[in-house]
Amino acid sequence: MLTDRLCLFSYWRSSAAYRVRIGLNLKGLAYEIAPVHLLRDGGEQHGDAYRAANPQKLVPVLQHGHRMLRQSLAILEYLDEMWPDPPLLPVTARDRQRVRALAQLVACDVHPLNNLRVLQYFERDWGVPQAERDVWVRHWIIEGFAAFEALLQDHPSTGAFCDGNIPTIADCCLIPQVYNARRFSVDMAPFPNIVRIEAACLALPAFDAARPERQPDAP
Ligand SMILES: N[C@@H](CCC(=O)N[C@@H](CS)C(=O)NCC(=O)O)C(=O)O
C-alpha cells in the first residue's frame, strides 16, 4: 500500500490541487500528474471519464493504487496518516484544532465562493460582467484574509509558518489562496503576517515546485 503509485488529477491553476501538490512535496512522495483542463471544451471535469473519478466534477483527485481520494483537506490528512513524517499537523490537540480551523477558513469559507463554477454561473446564468465578478472575488478574499491575519496576529502559536516553525495544512491552504489573491490584484498590504508566511513557504522547495507556473500543464 505504501508503495502503490500516486497520481494527482490536477489543473495547474487550481488552488485545491495546489494544496495537495504542496502536501505531497512536503512528504517527499513521488507522484504523477494527470492534467484535467478545467476550461478546454467546456471543461474536462464534466466529461464522463472524469465524472467517474469524481462525481463532484472538481479537482483534485488523488489516485493511490486503485483507490480514488477526493477533497483536498481529507487528502492532506490521509497523506499525514499514511506517511507521518514530516507531520502536517502539530503535536497537541489544541494546536491541531487551530491549524484545522485556519485551513478550513480558507478551504470552506473563502475558496468555494470564488470557485470557477460559481463565477461561470454568474456569467452564464445571470450575465454578471467580468469587472463585477472580480469585485466579488476580491471581496471574499479580503474578508477571509482579514480574519486569517487577525488569527495570526500576536498568537503565541504563530511562528515562521501559520503554526510554529514547520509547515502545516494551514500553510498548504493559505499559499494557494494568496496566489489567487494576487491573480485578482488584491492589495496585500493589510496582511503583513500572511505576506511574511508566504515568503517563508515559497522559499521551501516543496512549495516552490507546487507553484502553478511550474506544472506540466501550465501554458
Ligand atoms: N472542496 C474541494 C474543492 C475543489 C474545487 O473547488 N476545485 C476546483 C478548482 S480549485 C474545480 O475543480 N473547479 C471546477 C469547476 O468549478 O468547474 C476540495 O477541497 O478538493
Side-chain angles (χ1 to χ4, degrees):
M1 185 70 172
L2 282 173
T3 55
D4 278 349
R5 166 181 167 266
L6 289 161
C7 177
L8 183 68
F9 292 82
S10 173
Y11 178 60
W12 67 285
R13 219 153 61 168
S14 154
S15 54
Y18 188 177
R19 295 171 198 151
V20 176
R21 296 195 300 259
I22 296 168
L24 288 161
N25 294 346
L26 285 168
K27 296 288 182 187
L29 295 167
Y31 59 98
E32 294 164 37
I33 294 265
V36 180
H37 202 296
L38 297 185
L39 298 171
R40 194 166 50 215
D41 301 328
E44 290 174 358
Q45 71 275 32
H46 299 291
D48 291 343
Y50 190 72
R51 277 232 301 257
N54 189 356
Q56 273 195 292
K57 301 173 278 180
L58 300 170
V59 293
V61 166
L62 181 66
Q63 183 170 4
H64 184 204
H66 296 297
R67 204 165 283 224
M68 295 300 220
L69 312 172
R70 306 173 187 91
Q71 288 290 350
S72 60
L73 283 181
I75 296 170
L76 288 171
E77 295 232 11
Y78 174 84
L79 295 178
D80 212 32
E81 288 174 25
M82 292 291 287
W83 293 276
D85 198 35
L88 295 178
L89 284 165
V91 177
T92 69
R94 190 176 295 185
D95 288 341
R96 282 199 296 277
Q97 197 286 333
R98 175 172 183 265
V99 163
R100 289 187 175 112
L102 289 169
Q104 288 178 29
L105 189 160
V106 170
C108 305
D109 297 337
V110 175
H111 172 262
L113 290 161
N114 295 341
N115 199 358
L116 176 64
R117 61 185 176 170
V118 171
L119 301 177
Q120 285 181 336
Y121 183 77
F122 280 162
E123 182 185 7
R124 291 174 187 164
D125 292 61
W126 289 354
V128 179
Q130 172 86 53
E132 290 173 27
R133 283 182 271 136
D134 289 356
V135 170
W136 165 275
V137 169
R138 281 194 288 272
H139 172 80
W140 293 114
I141 294 175
I142 290 165
E143 277 275 311
F145 277 4
F148 204 105
E149 179 71 22
L151 293 168
L152 294 174
Q153 186 77 43
D154 300 327
H155 193 287
S157 295
T158 303
F161 301 103
C162 289
D163 194 273
N165 294 320
I166 57 165
T168 62
I169 62 169
D171 303 284
C172 295
C173 289
L174 177 63
I175 300 315
Q177 191 60 57
V178 176
Y179 169 82
N180 280 352
R182 295 196 185 284
R183 197 179 139 205
F184 283 90
S185 308
V186 170
D187 175 13
M188 293 298 293
F191 315 119
N193 281 288
I194 293 177
V195 170
R196 174 182 62 75
I197 289 168
E198 180 201 22
C201 286
L202 291 178
L204 300 178
F207 282 81
D208 184 57
R211 285 176 190 247
E213 58 272 22
R214 302 243 189 279
Q215 301 316 301
D217 55 330

